[in-house]
Amino acid sequence: MKNNSADDDKRNESPVNGSFTAITEGVTATVWTPDYVTRLRQNIHRCSCPGCDSASPLLQFRWKNHVRHSADISCRRAAAEILCLTASCTIAFSEDAAEHLPALPAESLWMNQRCLRLFAVFQDNPVLLLYVLGRFIREAGRLVPSQREALLETWLQPDARQRLIDDFIRQPQGTGYPSAALSSLHKLPLSALAAGDARLPKWEEIRRMNEAELRQSWTKLQKASGLRREEQRKILGNYLFYELCHTIFPGSSPAEWENNFARLCQRLLSLNLLLLVLPPDYGKESVSALLAASLYAARVKTFAGSPEEKKAFLSPVF
Ligand SMILES: [Zn+2]
């Protein structure tokens, strides 16, 4: 992988749920540019937050057959562009010359593409989307690659979509989050959030809860949030889009998918809880600044920690 901010002059704009260029290996590499990258490139005023320290937050991950543009969300300006979008999330596709680098496995790109198609369908309800992604990687992991396409196409049919929604609703009362997220609240990476902040006592109280206590408190927390439910969902959806693009979720092998899914759940729940403890009149820009600052603080803490913690923090997942 390498990182630069080269422009794509052969861009072919296409929505996330549009048709994709066939994945081919050879003299060209497919280039995916999420819209938050495009907006960051257009809005080039300097940011000097601790997360970027005046450097560009733009990132570029390169393989022989693929280039993925992204950004460092611990920069406040990048976090604002990623989280505050009110329109649909999109990706621009183009091609670039292949370089002498290791190849991104075609199956990894294929799975990432399919997860983004599920995102396009279920993005209005991020916790439902998480549920669908979890089921998809579990069921796809038991199939040979040629059967995974049929599974996805089946799920995209209206009646199958409704069955997924019904199954999600029929889950036991609670947050909707999988246990993979709820069982490790004390490990939430946003624990370093804004030391000295007035919201910290509430945050610490949540971190001490066990799964049952959080499930019981969930509705009360939802009602106390300073953001409307629709605003919360859009921010969470924007964050999921970033995670799917940035980490090339779900990863390179079925054995890795489950771990990466658990990490995705924990990160989304962290942001969700952050939104729930915000007081009224707290704007979306303030949310993104707070998230960037907390991720930066988590990074500082992580890089002072064990090699395992460092590895867990680094992304993308390859
Ligand atoms: Zn910055």
Side-chain angles (χ1 to χ4, degrees):
M1 291 186 290
K2 71 177 188 179
N3 170 19
N4 63 45
S5 57
D7 289 327
D8 309 314
D9 53 8
K10 294 181 285 184
R11 189 168 302 151
N12 172 27
E13 299 281 348
S14 176
V16 169
N17 56 349
S19 59
F20 286 79
T21 305
I23 300 165
T24 56
E25 291 191 53
V27 294
T28 59
T30 55
V31 182
W32 291 24
T33 308
D35 52 10
Y36 57 81
V37 171
T38 306
R39 290 194 302 279
L40 274 168
R41 286 175 179 165
Q42 292 166 349
N43 176 21
I44 57 171
H45 74 268
R46 284 278 175 190
C47 174
S48 56
C49 74
C52 67
D53 196 20
S54 301
S56 170
L58 292 172
L59 300 170
Q60 186 185 112
F61 305 108
R62 294 192 77 98
W63 292 265
K64 178 183 179 184
N65 55 339
H66 186 70
V67 180
R68 181 68 54 99
H69 291 284
S70 191
D72 180 356
I73 197 172
S74 66
C75 165
R76 285 181 198 171
R77 186 163 67 90
E81 293 292 359
I82 291 164
L83 297 177
C84 297
L85 177 71
T86 54
S88 298
C89 301
T90 59
I91 297 175
F93 302 98
S94 58
E95 292 186 344
D96 199 354
E99 297 187 39
H100 293 292
L101 293 166
L104 178 68
E107 180 63 14
S108 299
L109 190 52
W110 187 95
M111 281 296 289
N112 183 230
Q113 189 172 305
R114 268 57 191 178
C115 288
L116 283 163
R117 285 189 72 188
L118 290 171
F119 170 87
V121 173
F122 295 102
Q123 61 180 303
D124 289 344
N125 186 340
V127 185
L128 167 63
L129 170 62
L130 210 55
Y131 169 80
V132 173
L133 286 173
R135 277 189 59 169
F136 180 64
I137 63 168
R138 272 192 296 279
E139 296 189 25
R142 292 194 286 265
L143 301 173
V144 297
S146 60
Q147 296 171 314
R148 292 172 187 161
E149 179 72 37
L151 175 69
L152 181 90
E153 292 303 328
T154 301
W155 282 20
L156 294 177
Q157 298 304 312
D159 54 342
R161 283 190 208 179
Q162 189 56 51
R163 278 198 297 278
L164 287 167
I165 294 170
D166 293 343
D167 290 348
F168 175 72
I169 293 170
R170 274 198 293 271
Q171 291 185 115
Q173 284 290 314
T175 64
Y177 279 90
S179 291
L182 297 167
S183 59
S184 57
L185 289 175
H186 62 288
K187 292 182 183 172
L188 291 177
L190 292 175
S191 59
L193 166 69
D197 193 294
R199 295 165 293 246
L200 204 54
K202 187 71 181 171
W203 179 253
E204 292 294 341
E205 180 188 330
I206 292 172
R207 288 186 70 236
R208 285 193 296 270
M209 290 180 183
N210 60 33
E211 184 175 343
E213 288 168 337
L214 184 66
R215 287 187 191 281
Q216 285 172 1
S217 306
W218 191 253
T219 304
K220 194 171 153 192
L221 286 167
Q222 290 271 13
K223 286 180 180 166
S225 172
L227 285 176
R228 288 185 293 113
R229 182 73 64 89
E230 297 75 29
E231 289 178 310
Q232 286 182 36
R233 285 185 169 183
K234 184 57 179 157
I235 291 171
L236 293 171
N238 290 346
Y239 183 69
L240 270 179
F241 178 69
Y242 170 77
E243 283 278 348
L244 295 183
C245 291
H246 184 79
T247 66
I248 315 193
F249 181 86
S252 59
S253 68
E256 195 182 44
W257 296 350
E258 288 282 347
N259 288 336
N260 291 331
F261 177 69
R263 192 169 63 162
L264 182 68
C265 291
Q266 286 161 4
R267 288 181 171 181
L268 194 74
L269 177 62
S270 301
L271 178 56
N272 201 159
L273 289 170
L274 177 64
L275 299 180
L276 293 183
V277 299
L278 292 177
D281 71 28
Y282 211 75
K284 287 188 294 184
E285 291 72 18
S286 304
V287 172
S288 58
L290 197 56
L291 176 71
S294 64
L295 286 173
Y296 173 71
R299 176 194 290 171
V300 171
K301 186 180 175 191
T302 297
F303 278 80
S306 68
E308 290 72 28
E309 287 173 320
K310 291 175 189 175
K311 190 178 175 207
F313 190 86
L314 290 168
S315 54
V317 294
F318 298 94

